[in-house]
Amino acid sequence: MVAWILALTAVVTAIWSAVRTDRAMRESHHAAARAELAERQFKAAEARTLALTEEIRQLAQKRIPAAATALSHRSAPVPGLREAAGIEGDAARLLTEAVQAARTAVLEERGRVDAAARSAMRGTSAKIQSLLNQSQHLLHELQHEYDDPRILQLDFRNELALRRTQATAVLCDAWPGLARQNSSLVEIVLGAQSRVAGYERIKVANHLRQERLALVARAAEPLAIALAELLANATAYSHPDTEVPVTVQQTPGRGAMILVDDAGIGMDEDALKRARTLLSGPSEVLLTELGDPPQTGFAVVGRLIARYGFSCHIESSPYGGMRAMLRIPAHLLTVIDDDRTLSVLAPKPVHARVPVAEDPEPVTTPAPAGLLGPPAGADPAGDPGPAVPAEPAPRAEEAATAEDGEQRPAGLPSRRRRSRRAASPDAPSSPRRPVEEEPAPRTPEQAGAAWSSLQEGTLSGRSAPAVPGPAAVASPSASSSDDQGDDEK
């Protein structure tokens, strides 16, 4: 009996020992697993911390500076997260928000700096423009007193500086600084042409149906500034030996259009897209977005478009370069009164040019003195007698043969050699008529009128055309330099 009890006790003890041993072994395995898991978690946390540190470093060193650069250079790339898989969702979102916050802060600061710069440039431009206007009045007074071409060159350079100052003022949201009355559209085009360095290359063609079509006063000077900027672009980006055609025409919708073509280098897609954005009249253009050095031409035109209501579009030109189309709506157009005289330099409308008649009607006119000899039997030194009507004017095809010709009995002209007529030995000697008369000196008023015509941007007009006559025929070697202005150097 005792043996059975001892055996049972030994069995129970063995079972309990086995159970405890197994439990201890399981607990040991669980502890090892927990330790291994903790170690893996620690390593993963350390890796995430390292990745987040690297992302923060990239954020400070690359992403935020690149985002600031992209505000000025839209094609500049902005890097993203280096290891997007190793960053949790909240951390990645916070990093992206940090970039956006930095971008917003930079924009706000740039806006404040740009506003301060605009204010300073606006005040400076107004003072410079006032000084240039005073210089212009002084140069005009000198032109009335002195006939020196260098004064014209100074006046032209003063005009170029005044245009740049006006463009800067417009870009800074200032008033153009010049008020006009209702002005002829063609005269405005000529005025814009005179503000460009390559004005002699610009050829204006007038295709208006109404010759006296004009712009209202409030839009006259802004349109001249905008057109001058477009002409400056066309002349600057095309070869100096090429022309810049400018066409002024009316549109079917009672408006008008000015076409400016050039045979220049053209524009790529990015530049064309950027130019069209500026010409659309955006609400605000930062000075820092215009490049270094700043390219202000299209930006100035866009500011004027947004303020005064006309529009501009650019595209490829059939001449190989670019074409700018400046559209003027009907509410900015008017017709000037008939009592106002248009500039003599303004080109006439193409349709208004009258062709030369091929077969004009004969007109009876008195014979010009000195071209026809005295009648037969008359005394050259005596009374010329009663006036006799001249023969009908010859037709166009007979004009060449009728000049200085003797009349046949049938009334037809005959060609003869142009030679000095031999004096009759019986005729009394008479004093020889002077071949060329000495021109009278110009008065200050005449000199001022000549200089004023040159200021309108033309090469001709320094002096009135000579009246055809014997003096003009006898001096064909007269210099033609008086009829031309000085070329820009």
Side-chain angles (χ1 to χ4, degrees), residues 416-456:
R416 71 185 182 112
R417 184 187 182 124
R418 293 188 180 183
S419 60
R420 183 175 298 177
R421 181 177 298 175
S424 174
D426 298 336
S429 61
S430 59
R432 181 178 299 176
R433 184 172 54 86
V435 177
E436 182 177 1
E437 298 180 358
E438 184 71 20
R442 290 192 298 178
T443 62
E445 291 77 9
Q446 293 174 344
W451 283 112
S452 299
S453 62
L454 281 172
Q455 293 165 8
E456 298 180 7

Side-chain angles (χ1 to χ4, degrees), residues 48-400:
R48 287 196 300 270
T49 303
L50 182 61
L52 183 59
T53 303
E54 292 298 328
E55 290 296 339
I56 295 174
R57 182 179 292 109
Q58 184 183 10
L59 177 70
Q61 295 180 355
K62 295 183 178 180
R63 296 185 65 187
I64 291 180
T69 303
L71 296 177
S72 301
H73 306 279
R74 300 181 184 275
S75 59
V78 179
L81 296 174
R82 295 181 58 186
E83 298 180 3
I87 304 298
E88 297 179 356
D90 292 340
R93 179 177 55 82
L94 291 175
L95 290 174
T96 304
E97 289 180 356
V99 175
Q100 296 296 334
R103 188 196 302 268
T104 303
V106 170
L107 283 176
E108 292 177 354
E109 185 62 24
R110 287 177 60 185
R112 287 191 294 268
V113 172
D114 195 84
R118 286 175 185 270
S119 178
M121 293 178 62
R122 188 162 50 242
T124 304
S125 299
K127 294 179 180 179
I128 296 177
Q129 190 172 357
S130 176
L131 293 175
L132 290 176
N133 285 328
Q134 295 175 15
S135 301
Q136 191 176 49
H137 289 302
L138 180 60
L139 289 172
H140 288 177
E141 293 178 359
L142 292 176
Q143 290 173 14
H144 288 295
E145 296 179 7
Y146 303 99
D147 192 2
D148 192 342
R150 292 176 296 179
I151 301 179
L152 178 64
Q153 297 179 5
L154 288 175
D155 181 70
F156 179 65
R157 283 160 176 78
N158 185 83
E159 188 69 30
L160 294 180
L162 185 60
R163 179 179 70 85
R164 297 308 313 148
T165 306
Q166 278 185 307
T168 303
V170 169
L171 193 61
C172 296
D173 299 326
W175 180 59
L178 181 63
R180 292 194 183 198
Q181 57 182 349
N182 295 347
S183 302
S184 169
L185 182 57
V186 180
E187 292 180 355
I188 290 177
V189 174
L190 294 179
Q193 176 186 1
S194 67
R195 304 180 186 185
V196 180
Y199 63 89
E200 68 279 357
R201 297 167 48 200
I202 302 173
K203 307 301 179 182
V204 181
N206 184 0
H207 292 271
L208 295 177
R209 297 188 299 271
Q210 292 177 304
E211 184 178 4
R212 308 184 73 84
L213 189 68
L215 263 79
V216 296
R218 65 183 181 88
E221 183 63 17
L223 184 72
I225 296 175
L227 182 58
E229 293 297 324
L230 296 176
L231 293 176
N233 282 345
T235 55
Y237 292 97
S238 59
H239 196 275
D241 294 337
T242 59
E243 294 183 352
V244 178
V246 178
T247 306
V248 187
Q249 61 187 27
Q250 291 180 252
T251 58
R254 298 179 59 190
M257 179 181 294
I258 302 175
L259 303 179
V260 180
D261 290 284
D262 67 78
I265 59 178
M267 303 174 68
D268 56 25
E269 291 297 330
D270 293 338
L272 184 59
K273 182 179 179 181
R274 175 63 175 163
R276 287 175 176 173
T277 301
L278 293 175
L279 291 175
S280 62
S283 58
E284 184 178 9
V285 178
L286 296 178
L287 299 179
T288 53
E289 296 179 347
L290 300 178
D292 184 19
Q295 298 178 355
T296 61
F298 290 139
V300 171
V301 178
R303 299 302 296 167
L304 294 172
I305 286 174
R307 190 179 306 176
Y308 293 97
F310 47 89
S311 62
C312 183
H313 176 73
I314 57 174
E315 61 182 20
S316 298
S317 172
Y319 293 88
M322 300 303 297
R323 164 175 286 181
M325 296 178 288
L326 194 60
R327 295 185 180 91
I328 308 168
H331 68 273
L332 295 179
L333 297 175
T334 184
V335 178
I336 58 177
D337 300 332
D338 295 337
D339 55 353
R340 284 184 53 183
T341 303
L342 298 178
S343 173
V344 296
L345 304 177
K348 296 295 182 182
V350 175
H351 66 86
R353 295 176 183 173
V354 180
V356 179
E358 297 181 357
D359 191 9
E361 294 294 333
V363 179
T364 302
T365 56
L371 294 182
L372 296 179
D379 186 1
D383 186 12
V388 179
E391 293 295 330
R395 297 181 181 268
E397 61 271 13
E398 299 172 358

Side-chain angles (χ1 to χ4, degrees), residues 455-466:
Q455 293 165 8
E456 298 180 7
T458 179
L459 298 177
S460 62
R462 286 190 61 186
S463 60

